[in-house]
Amino acid sequence: MPYLNRDGHMTDISVIGLGAMGSALARAQIAAGRSVTVWNRSAEKAAPLVAEGAIAATTASEAISASPVTITCVKSHPQTIGILRNAGNVLPGKTIIELSTGGATEAEELSQFLEGAGAEWMFGIINAYPHMIGNEDAVLSVVGTEEQWVANSPIIKAMGGGSVHVGDQAGMLAALFAGLFTVRQGFMWGMIYGAPACKKAGISMQAFSDLVPISMGMMKPYYDYFAATVPEASYDNPPAKMQTYAAALEDVLASFEALGARDELPRLFVEMANKGMAAGYEDQALTAVIEVLARERS
Ligand SMILES: NC(=O)c1ccc[n+]([C@@H]2O[C@H](COP(=O)([O-])OP(=O)(O)OC[C@H]3O[C@@H](n4cnc5c(N)ncnc54)[C@H](OP(=O)(O)O)[C@@H]3O)[C@@H](O)[C@H]2O)c1
């Protein structure tokens, strides 16, 4: 006998957590034509969604019971675990899609709790601001079993049309976030390190700043080089060999040293390129260093 909430409704989907993001997620589900139950710790945040057709549950337990699938989007995984632990015995047979951001250890803890409680799960990272939710090109990166992805991708793609399934372990998303954040922070810290070296040489920060986008024109070829070599671990016949990069990086480090500029970043580049050379990749693509680093144990 399915649970019926106090208004006698069963809905398609429930959303727990109606902050900026949770409200946008609930709105996208309403826009996709699903019947939606919502719950938030501070009850007043449900009102705008109720005005748009959602049903407000008075407890998290009631929200989970109302639908086969519940999206959770609160502060982080520990808050989701707290809510679910307090919800009582309503989880067996349900699917929880956890879209709160969180760390690997907490994600594993939450997934184990859900499995122990007889629930299925998916976890996702939302690569978008709330106003982008529901767009064709918004992307949620999700993990869960292939079966869960097949079953829930219409729900997930209603929130981000470009969403992707990246694996089946709950803890993978924290590593994915760390890896991708490092890519863009690499750009940020490249500017932060490059600027003082130029400043010490008397180059105006306006000139440096104006020329960054010109230099960044190489980012697409860099990315194409990465995409053409790394997924297949195929590093032969590169347009520029590792030894060519290593020599240029040595020159860059020497310039930093001569200027008396902080040089940890170019020194790291030289050290890593030298590791790749020592491993025998000198005639191959620079990206082959990935193979050396991935084999290392910290
Ligand atoms: N906003 C973004 O651009 C964005 C982008 C990507 C991912 N995210 C992720 O989405 C999640 C929510 O972010 P948001 O922007 O919606 O934040 P927010 O506007 O600050 O909302 C936070 C939500 O979490 C709830 N909450 C916090 N602690 C709770 C607890 N102990 N028990 C029950 N509910 C609790 C809040 O309930 P109350 O209303 O009762 O305080 C509120 O619904 C975060 O994990 C965030 O990293 C956000």
Side-chain angles (χ1 to χ4, degrees):
M1 167 91 176
Y3 176 94
L4 299 178
N5 70 18
R6 70 191 189 295
D7 297 322
H9 296 291
M10 276 287 286
T11 47
D12 297 326
I13 191 150
S14 296
V15 180
I16 288 181
L18 303 175
M21 184 52 84
S23 295
L25 301 175
R27 213 158 261 131
Q29 297 301 336
I30 296 170
R34 294 191 177 86
S35 53
V36 178
T37 297
V38 292
W39 180 81
N40 192 64
R41 179 178 63 177
S42 313
E44 71 277 3
K45 287 190 185 159
L49 290 155
V50 169
E52 293 170 43
I55 294 165
T58 52
T59 62
S61 173
E62 192 179 287
I64 295 164
S65 300
S67 307
V69 178
T70 294
I71 293 168
T72 47
C73 186
V74 292
K75 190 173 174 188
S76 189
H77 301 327
Q79 287 71 36
T80 300
I81 294 179
I83 291 167
L84 297 179
R85 278 195 202 285
N86 284 337
N89 188 31
V90 290
L91 288 168
K94 302 290 187 181
T95 297
I96 304 294
I97 302 178
E98 161 71 333
L99 298 180
S100 317
T101 310
T105 309
E106 289 83 9
E108 292 293 351
E109 189 187 334
L110 176 53
S111 66
Q112 282 164 20
F113 166 75
L114 287 166
E115 286 169 19
E120 309 243 22
W121 55 262
M122 295 202 86
F123 284 63
I125 293 183
I126 304 168
N127 308 291
Y129 286 121
H131 73 270
M132 297 153 71
I133 295 300
N135 290 355
E136 266 308 299
D137 54 357
V139 176
L140 279 65
S141 310
V142 300
V143 294
T145 64
E146 183 62 31
E147 292 73 27
Q148 283 295 333
W149 170 243
V150 170
N152 295 303
S153 59
I155 289 170
I156 291 163
K157 289 193 171 177
M159 301 181 283
S163 294
V164 289
H165 180 222
V166 295
D168 62 4
Q169 301 296 311
M172 283 174 164
L173 289 178
L176 182 67
F177 175 75
L180 293 174
F181 192 57
T182 298
V183 173
R184 59 181 193 265
Q185 283 290 298
F187 170 50
M188 176 59 89
W189 286 97
M191 290 192 292
I192 291 170
Y193 261 72
C198 288
K199 208 172 167 103
K200 281 173 182 283
I203 296 164
S204 80
M205 287 297 92
Q206 190 60 58
F208 179 75
S209 181
D210 289 348
L211 286 167
V212 166
I214 309 296
S215 182
M216 287 298 292
M218 279 304 286
M219 286 299 106
K220 178 72 168 68
Y222 272 21
Y223 171 72
D224 290 345
Y225 183 73
F226 179 92
T229 55
V230 179
E232 303 286 327
S234 162
Y235 304 107
D236 293 335
N237 305 314
K241 294 174 183 169
M242 189 180 294
Q243 58 183 289
T244 309
Y245 277 108
L249 291 169
E250 292 277 8
D251 289 343
V252 168
L253 177 58
S255 296
F256 271 72
E257 285 172 340
L259 288 159
R262 289 201 70 122
D263 62 12
E264 293 91 340
L265 202 53
R267 190 170 294 284
L268 176 71
F269 298 159
V270 167
E271 190 189 324
M272 295 302 133
N274 285 341
K275 258 183 199 287
M277 304 263 284
Y281 290 110
E282 64 270 24
D283 290 330
Q284 295 189 281
L286 181 66
T287 45
V289 172
I290 290 167
E291 302 299 326
V292 183
L293 300 185
R295 284 198 294 267
E296 279 187 347
R297 291 182 176 277
S298 61

PDB file of all heavy atoms in Angstrom, residues 218 220-226 228-229 234-245 282-287:
ATOM      1  N   MET A 218      46.150  29.890 -26.900  1.00  0.00           N
ATOM      2  CA  MET A 218      46.736  28.550 -27.019  1.00  0.00           C
ATOM      3  C   MET A 218      45.992  27.515 -26.181  1.00  0.00           C
ATOM      4  O   MET A 218      46.302  26.317 -26.248  1.00  0.00           O
ATOM      5  CB  MET A 218      48.209  28.581 -26.550  1.00  0.00           C
ATOM      6  CG  MET A 218      49.178  29.081 -27.595  1.00  0.00           C
ATOM      7  SD  MET A 218      49.091  28.125 -29.126  1.00  0.00           S
ATOM      8  CE  MET A 218      49.910  26.594 -28.631  1.00  0.00           C
ATOM      9  N   LYS A 220      42.953  26.308 -26.352  1.00  0.00           N
ATOM     10  CA  LYS A 220      42.193  25.318 -27.130  1.00  0.00           C
ATOM     11  C   LYS A 220      43.138  24.274 -27.732  1.00  0.00           C
ATOM     12  O   LYS A 220      42.905  23.075 -27.563  1.00  0.00           O
ATOM     13  CB  LYS A 220      41.356  26.054 -28.196  1.00  0.00           C
ATOM     14  CG  LYS A 220      40.552  25.143 -29.112  1.00  0.00           C
ATOM     15  CD  LYS A 220      39.364  24.522 -28.376  1.00  0.00           C
ATOM     16  CE  LYS A 220      38.377  23.844 -29.316  1.00  0.00           C
ATOM     17  NZ  LYS A 220      38.865  22.652 -29.978  1.00  0.00           N
ATOM     18  N   PRO A 221      44.243  24.709 -28.405  1.00  0.00           N
ATOM     19  CA  PRO A 221      45.196  23.697 -28.861  1.00  0.00           C
ATOM     20  C   PRO A 221      45.754  22.844 -27.716  1.00  0.00           C
ATOM     21  O   PRO A 221      45.952  21.640 -27.883  1.00  0.00           O
ATOM     22  CB  PRO A 221      46.308  24.520 -29.524  1.00  0.00           C
ATOM     23  CG  PRO A 221      45.654  25.794 -29.922  1.00  0.00           C
ATOM     24  CD  PRO A 221      44.563  26.051 -28.940  1.00  0.00           C
ATOM     25  N   TYR A 222      46.007  23.448 -26.549  1.00  0.00           N
ATOM     26  CA  TYR A 222      46.476  22.668 -25.393  1.00  0.00           C
ATOM     27  C   TYR A 222      45.441  21.605 -25.045  1.00  0.00           C
ATOM     28  O   TYR A 222      45.778  20.460 -24.779  1.00  0.00           O
ATOM     29  CB  TYR A 222      46.660  23.567 -24.160  1.00  0.00           C
ATOM     30  CG  TYR A 222      48.019  24.222 -24.018  1.00  0.00           C
ATOM     31  CD1 TYR A 222      48.868  24.394 -25.104  1.00  0.00           C
ATOM     32  CD2 TYR A 222      48.447  24.683 -22.780  1.00  0.00           C
ATOM     33  CE1 TYR A 222      50.095  25.008 -24.956  1.00  0.00           C
ATOM     34  CE2 TYR A 222      49.673  25.298 -22.620  1.00  0.00           C
ATOM     35  CZ  TYR A 222      50.494  25.464 -23.711  1.00  0.00           C
ATOM     36  OH  TYR A 222      51.701  26.063 -23.556  1.00  0.00           O
ATOM     37  N   TYR A 223      44.187  22.047 -24.979  1.00  0.00           N
ATOM     38  CA  TYR A 223      43.134  21.102 -24.600  1.00  0.00           C
ATOM     39  C   TYR A 223      43.006  20.008 -25.660  1.00  0.00           C
ATOM     40  O   TYR A 223      42.883  18.821 -25.333  1.00  0.00           O
ATOM     41  CB  TYR A 223      41.780  21.821 -24.399  1.00  0.00           C
ATOM     42  CG  TYR A 223      40.688  20.799 -24.224  1.00  0.00           C
ATOM     43  CD1 TYR A 223      40.613  20.062 -23.048  1.00  0.00           C
ATOM     44  CD2 TYR A 223      39.808  20.508 -25.254  1.00  0.00           C
ATOM     45  CE1 TYR A 223      39.673  19.055 -22.895  1.00  0.00           C
ATOM     46  CE2 TYR A 223      38.869  19.507 -25.112  1.00  0.00           C
ATOM     47  CZ  TYR A 223      38.802  18.789 -23.933  1.00  0.00           C
ATOM     48  OH  TYR A 223      37.889  17.789 -23.797  1.00  0.00           O
ATOM     49  N   ASP A 224      43.061  20.390 -26.931  1.00  0.00           N
ATOM     50  CA  ASP A 224      42.940  19.397 -28.017  1.00  0.00           C
ATOM     51  C   ASP A 224      44.068  18.359 -27.918  1.00  0.00           C
ATOM     52  O   ASP A 224      43.850  17.162 -28.139  1.00  0.00           O
ATOM     53  CB  ASP A 224      42.980  20.083 -29.392  1.00  0.00           C
ATOM     54  CG  ASP A 224      41.720  20.903 -29.647  1.00  0.00           C
ATOM     55  OD1 ASP A 224      40.724  20.716 -28.923  1.00  0.00           O
ATOM     56  OD2 ASP A 224      41.756  21.753 -30.570  1.00  0.00           O
ATOM     57  N   TYR A 225      45.259  18.817 -27.583  1.00  0.00           N
ATOM     58  CA  TYR A 225      46.440  17.969 -27.403  1.00  0.00           C
ATOM     59  C   TYR A 225      46.199  16.991 -26.249  1.00  0.00           C
ATOM     60  O   TYR A 225      46.437  15.788 -26.352  1.00  0.00           O
ATOM     61  CB  TYR A 225      47.582  18.945 -27.090  1.00  0.00           C
ATOM     62  CG  TYR A 225      48.975  18.432 -26.903  1.00  0.00           C
ATOM     63  CD1 TYR A 225      49.727  17.997 -27.979  1.00  0.00           C
ATOM     64  CD2 TYR A 225      49.586  18.480 -25.649  1.00  0.00           C
ATOM     65  CE1 TYR A 225      51.051  17.594 -27.807  1.00  0.00           C
ATOM     66  CE2 TYR A 225      50.893  18.089 -25.472  1.00  0.00           C
ATOM     67  CZ  TYR A 225      51.624  17.639 -26.547  1.00  0.00           C
ATOM     68  OH  TYR A 225      52.925  17.259 -26.370  1.00  0.00           O
ATOM     69  N   PHE A 226      45.649  17.527 -25.160  1.00  0.00           N
ATOM     70  CA  PHE A 226      45.324  16.696 -23.992  1.00  0.00           C
ATOM     71  C   PHE A 226      44.275  15.643 -24.377  1.00  0.00           C
ATOM     72  O   PHE A 226      44.443  14.445 -24.119  1.00  0.00           O
ATOM     73  CB  PHE A 226      44.786  17.605 -22.871  1.00  0.00           C
ATOM     74  CG  PHE A 226      44.397  16.882 -21.618  1.00  0.00           C
ATOM     75  CD1 PHE A 226      45.312  16.707 -20.591  1.00  0.00           C
ATOM     76  CD2 PHE A 226      43.122  16.380 -21.454  1.00  0.00           C
ATOM     77  CE1 PHE A 226      44.964  16.041 -19.427  1.00  0.00           C
ATOM     78  CE2 PHE A 226      42.763  15.709 -20.299  1.00  0.00           C
ATOM     79  CZ  PHE A 226      43.686  15.540 -19.283  1.00  0.00           C
ATOM     80  N   ALA A 228      43.487  14.500 -27.244  1.00  0.00           N
ATOM     81  CA  ALA A 228      43.930  13.555 -28.280  1.00  0.00           C
ATOM     82  C   ALA A 228      44.905  12.523 -27.731  1.00  0.00           C
ATOM     83  O   ALA A 228      45.137  11.490 -28.363  1.00  0.00           O
ATOM     84  CB  ALA A 228      44.589  14.328 -29.426  1.00  0.00           C
ATOM     85  N   THR A 229      45.486  12.784 -26.567  1.00  0.00           N
ATOM     86  CA  THR A 229      46.523  11.875 -26.057  1.00  0.00           C
ATOM     87  C   THR A 229      46.101  11.112 -24.804  1.00  0.00           C
ATOM     88  O   THR A 229      46.301   9.899 -24.716  1.00  0.00           O
ATOM     89  CB  THR A 229      47.820  12.668 -25.752  1.00  0.00           C
ATOM     90  OG1 THR A 229      47.518  13.750 -24.859  1.00  0.00           O
ATOM     91  CG2 THR A 229      48.443  13.224 -27.018  1.00  0.00           C
ATOM     92  N   SER A 234      47.846   7.638 -25.510  1.00  0.00           N
ATOM     93  CA  SER A 234      48.585   7.536 -26.778  1.00  0.00           C
ATOM     94  C   SER A 234      49.408   8.813 -26.964  1.00  0.00           C
ATOM     95  O   SER A 234      48.863   9.863 -27.298  1.00  0.00           O
ATOM     96  CB  SER A 234      47.559   7.357 -27.907  1.00  0.00           C
ATOM     97  OG  SER A 234      48.133   7.667 -29.125  1.00  0.00           O
ATOM     98  N   TYR A 235      50.709   8.706 -26.702  1.00  0.00           N
ATOM     99  CA  TYR A 235      51.550   9.901 -26.597  1.00  0.00           C
ATOM    100  C   TYR A 235      52.570  10.035 -27.718  1.00  0.00           C
ATOM    101  O   TYR A 235      53.426  10.907 -27.680  1.00  0.00           O
ATOM    102  CB  TYR A 235      52.271   9.882 -25.234  1.00  0.00           C
ATOM    103  CG  TYR A 235      51.307   9.786 -24.066  1.00  0.00           C
ATOM    104  CD1 TYR A 235      51.170   8.599 -23.339  1.00  0.00           C
ATOM    105  CD2 TYR A 235      50.514  10.867 -23.723  1.00  0.00           C
ATOM    106  CE1 TYR A 235      50.274   8.510 -22.283  1.00  0.00           C
ATOM    107  CE2 TYR A 235      49.608  10.787 -22.668  1.00  0.00           C
ATOM    108  CZ  TYR A 235      49.495   9.603 -21.952  1.00  0.00           C
ATOM    109  OH  TYR A 235      48.608   9.520 -20.921  1.00  0.00           O
ATOM    110  N   ASP A 236      52.479   9.152 -28.746  1.00  0.00           N
ATOM    111  CA  ASP A 236      53.468   9.168 -29.817  1.00  0.00           C
ATOM    112  C   ASP A 236      53.218  10.308 -30.803  1.00  0.00           C
ATOM    113  O   ASP A 236      52.099  10.786 -30.956  1.00  0.00           O
ATOM    114  CB  ASP A 236      53.435   7.835 -30.586  1.00  0.00           C
ATOM    115  CG  ASP A 236      53.901   6.680 -29.709  1.00  0.00           C
ATOM    116  OD1 ASP A 236      54.653   6.938 -28.751  1.00  0.00           O
ATOM    117  OD2 ASP A 236      53.483   5.537 -29.970  1.00  0.00           O
ATOM    118  N   ASN A 237      54.277  10.701 -31.505  1.00  0.00           N
ATOM    119  CA  ASN A 237      54.224  11.706 -32.575  1.00  0.00           C
ATOM    120  C   ASN A 237      53.503  12.997 -32.176  1.00  0.00           C
ATOM    121  O   ASN A 237      52.587  13.445 -32.859  1.00  0.00           O
ATOM    122  CB  ASN A 237      53.538  11.118 -33.830  1.00  0.00           C
ATOM    123  CG  ASN A 237      54.217   9.843 -34.268  1.00  0.00           C
ATOM    124  OD1 ASN A 237      55.442   9.774 -34.331  1.00  0.00           O
ATOM    125  ND2 ASN A 237      53.414   8.812 -34.546  1.00  0.00           N
ATOM    126  N   PRO A 238      53.903  13.610 -31.088  1.00  0.00           N
ATOM    127  CA  PRO A 238      53.232  14.854 -30.673  1.00  0.00           C
ATOM    128  C   PRO A 238      53.664  16.026 -31.545  1.00  0.00           C
ATOM    129  O   PRO A 238      54.747  15.976 -32.136  1.00  0.00           O
ATOM    130  CB  PRO A 238      53.727  15.041 -29.236  1.00  0.00           C
ATOM    131  CG  PRO A 238      55.098  14.450 -29.258  1.00  0.00           C
ATOM    132  CD  PRO A 238      55.027  13.272 -30.205  1.00  0.00           C
ATOM    133  N   PRO A 239      52.869  17.099 -31.597  1.00  0.00           N
ATOM    134  CA  PRO A 239      53.296  18.288 -32.342  1.00  0.00           C
ATOM    135  C   PRO A 239      54.499  18.956 -31.670  1.00  0.00           C
ATOM    136  O   PRO A 239      55.290  19.627 -32.341  1.00  0.00           O
ATOM    137  CB  PRO A 239      52.061  19.203 -32.307  1.00  0.00           C
ATOM    138  CG  PRO A 239      51.216  18.694 -31.189  1.00  0.00           C
ATOM    139  CD  PRO A 239      51.521  17.246 -31.022  1.00  0.00           C
ATOM    140  N   ALA A 240      54.646  18.803 -30.362  1.00  0.00           N
ATOM    141  CA  ALA A 240      55.847  19.270 -29.651  1.00  0.00           C
ATOM    142  C   ALA A 240      56.224  18.182 -28.653  1.00  0.00           C
ATOM    143  O   ALA A 240      55.373  17.682 -27.929  1.00  0.00           O
ATOM    144  CB  ALA A 240      55.566  20.583 -28.930  1.00  0.00           C
ATOM    145  N   LYS A 241      57.520  17.802 -28.635  1.00  0.00           N
ATOM    146  CA  LYS A 241      57.964  16.715 -27.748  1.00  0.00           C
ATOM    147  C   LYS A 241      58.145  17.209 -26.315  1.00  0.00           C
ATOM    148  O   LYS A 241      58.382  18.404 -26.093  1.00  0.00           O
ATOM    149  CB  LYS A 241      59.318  16.183 -28.240  1.00  0.00           C
ATOM    150  CG  LYS A 241      59.251  15.515 -29.585  1.00  0.00           C
ATOM    151  CD  LYS A 241      60.661  15.152 -30.031  1.00  0.00           C
ATOM    152  CE  LYS A 241      60.644  14.545 -31.423  1.00  0.00           C
ATOM    153  NZ  LYS A 241      61.984  14.422 -31.984  1.00  0.00           N
ATOM    154  N   MET A 242      58.138  16.257 -25.390  1.00  0.00           N
ATOM    155  CA  MET A 242      58.354  16.607 -23.987  1.00  0.00           C
ATOM    156  C   MET A 242      59.683  17.339 -23.808  1.00  0.00           C
ATOM    157  O   MET A 242      59.763  18.310 -23.050  1.00  0.00           O
ATOM    158  CB  MET A 242      58.311  15.344 -23.127  1.00  0.00           C
ATOM    159  CG  MET A 242      58.299  15.653 -21.640  1.00  0.00           C
ATOM    160  SD  MET A 242      58.246  14.189 -20.618  1.00  0.00           S
ATOM    161  CE  MET A 242      56.659  13.493 -20.979  1.00  0.00           C
ATOM    162  N   GLN A 243      60.722  16.905 -24.520  1.00  0.00           N
ATOM    163  CA  GLN A 243      62.032  17.555 -24.335  1.00  0.00           C
ATOM    164  C   GLN A 243      62.000  19.004 -24.819  1.00  0.00           C
ATOM    165  O   GLN A 243      62.726  19.855 -24.276  1.00  0.00           O
ATOM    166  CB  GLN A 243      63.137  16.765 -25.025  1.00  0.00           C
ATOM    167  CG  GLN A 243      62.943  16.550 -26.496  1.00  0.00           C
ATOM    168  CD  GLN A 243      64.059  15.684 -27.061  1.00  0.00           C
ATOM    169  OE1 GLN A 243      65.179  16.144 -27.169  1.00  0.00           O
ATOM    170  NE2 GLN A 243      63.761  14.443 -27.387  1.00  0.00           N
ATOM    171  N   THR A 244      61.159  19.309 -25.798  1.00  0.00           N
ATOM    172  CA  THR A 244      61.029  20.697 -26.274  1.00  0.00           C
ATOM    173  C   THR A 244      60.399  21.559 -25.175  1.00  0.00           C
ATOM    174  O   THR A 244      60.860  22.666 -24.882  1.00  0.00           O
ATOM    175  CB  THR A 244      60.156  20.734 -27.548  1.00  0.00           C
ATOM    176  OG1 THR A 244      60.675  19.771 -28.460  1.00  0.00           O
ATOM    177  CG2 THR A 244      60.122  22.106 -28.171  1.00  0.00           C
ATOM    178  N   TYR A 245      59.314  21.024 -24.574  1.00  0.00           N
ATOM    179  CA  TYR A 245      58.689  21.746 -23.452  1.00  0.00           C
ATOM    180  C   TYR A 245      59.671  21.897 -22.292  1.00  0.00           C
ATOM    181  O   TYR A 245      59.759  22.961 -21.670  1.00  0.00           O
ATOM    182  CB  TYR A 245      57.451  20.982 -22.940  1.00  0.00           C
ATOM    183  CG  TYR A 245      56.200  21.262 -23.748  1.00  0.00           C
ATOM    184  CD1 TYR A 245      55.660  20.312 -24.606  1.00  0.00           C
ATOM    185  CD2 TYR A 245      55.539  22.480 -23.619  1.00  0.00           C
ATOM    186  CE1 TYR A 245      54.503  20.564 -25.326  1.00  0.00           C
ATOM    187  CE2 TYR A 245      54.376  22.746 -24.324  1.00  0.00           C
ATOM    188  CZ  TYR A 245      53.861  21.783 -25.182  1.00  0.00           C
ATOM    189  OH  TYR A 245      52.727  22.045 -25.881  1.00  0.00           O
ATOM    190  N   GLU A 282      60.878  11.328 -23.322  1.00  0.00           N
ATOM    191  CA  GLU A 282      61.365  12.609 -23.854  1.00  0.00           C
ATOM    192  C   GLU A 282      60.897  12.926 -25.276  1.00  0.00           C
ATOM    193  O   GLU A 282      60.737  14.087 -25.629  1.00  0.00           O
ATOM    194  CB  GLU A 282      62.900  12.710 -23.736  1.00  0.00           C
ATOM    195  CG  GLU A 282      63.701  11.691 -24.542  1.00  0.00           C
ATOM    196  CD  GLU A 282      63.980  10.415 -23.753  1.00  0.00           C
ATOM    197  OE1 GLU A 282      63.219  10.122 -22.820  1.00  0.00           O
ATOM    198  OE2 GLU A 282      64.943   9.706 -24.087  1.00  0.00           O
ATOM    199  N   ASP A 283      60.645  11.894 -26.084  1.00  0.00           N
ATOM    200  CA  ASP A 283      60.190  12.161 -27.464  1.00  0.00           C
ATOM    201  C   ASP A 283      58.662  12.113 -27.589  1.00  0.00           C
ATOM    202  O   ASP A 283      58.125  12.196 -28.689  1.00  0.00           O
ATOM    203  CB  ASP A 283      60.797  11.121 -28.421  1.00  0.00           C
ATOM    204  CG  ASP A 283      62.291  11.334 -28.582  1.00  0.00           C
ATOM    205  OD1 ASP A 283      62.729  12.508 -28.477  1.00  0.00           O
ATOM    206  OD2 ASP A 283      63.018  10.346 -28.782  1.00  0.00           O
ATOM    207  N   GLN A 284      58.009  11.933 -26.464  1.00  0.00           N
ATOM    208  CA  GLN A 284      56.544  11.806 -26.533  1.00  0.00           C
ATOM    209  C   GLN A 284      55.864  13.085 -26.046  1.00  0.00           C
ATOM    210  O   GLN A 284      56.518  14.085 -25.749  1.00  0.00           O
ATOM    211  CB  GLN A 284      56.131  10.569 -25.737  1.00  0.00           C
ATOM    212  CG  GLN A 284      56.698   9.323 -26.420  1.00  0.00           C
ATOM    213  CD  GLN A 284      56.151   8.056 -25.831  1.00  0.00           C
ATOM    214  OE1 GLN A 284      56.602   7.638 -24.777  1.00  0.00           O
ATOM    215  NE2 GLN A 284      55.196   7.468 -26.511  1.00  0.00           N
ATOM    216  N   ALA A 285      54.539  13.035 -25.997  1.00  0.00           N
ATOM    217  CA  ALA A 285      53.794  14.236 -25.596  1.00  0.00           C
ATOM    218  C   ALA A 285      54.054  14.560 -24.126  1.00  0.00           C
ATOM    219  O   ALA A 285      54.230  13.666 -23.302  1.00  0.00           O
ATOM    220  CB  ALA A 285      52.298  14.003 -25.821  1.00  0.00           C
ATOM    221  N   LEU A 286      54.036  15.861 -23.804  1.00  0.00           N
ATOM    222  CA  LEU A 286      54.230  16.299 -22.413  1.00  0.00           C
ATOM    223  C   LEU A 286      53.204  15.633 -21.495  1.00  0.00           C
ATOM    224  O   LEU A 286      53.488  15.320 -20.336  1.00  0.00           O
ATOM    225  CB  LEU A 286      54.093  17.825 -22.350  1.00  0.00           C
ATOM    226  CG  LEU A 286      54.298  18.463 -20.980  1.00  0.00           C
ATOM    227  CD1 LEU A 286      55.737  18.297 -20.505  1.00  0.00           C
ATOM    228  CD2 LEU A 286      53.917  19.940 -21.008  1.00  0.00           C
ATOM    229  N   THR A 287      52.015  15.419 -22.005  1.00  0.00           N
ATOM    230  CA  THR A 287      50.928  14.850 -21.194  1.00  0.00           C
ATOM    231  C   THR A 287      51.247  13.434 -20.700  1.00  0.00           C
ATOM    232  O   THR A 287      50.571  12.948 -19.790  1.00  0.00           O
ATOM    233  CB  THR A 287      49.616  14.836 -22.001  1.00  0.00           C
ATOM    234  OG1 THR A 287      49.912  14.354 -23.317  1.00  0.00           O
ATOM    235  CG2 THR A 287      49.007  16.221 -22.107  1.00  0.00           C
TER     236      THR A 287
END
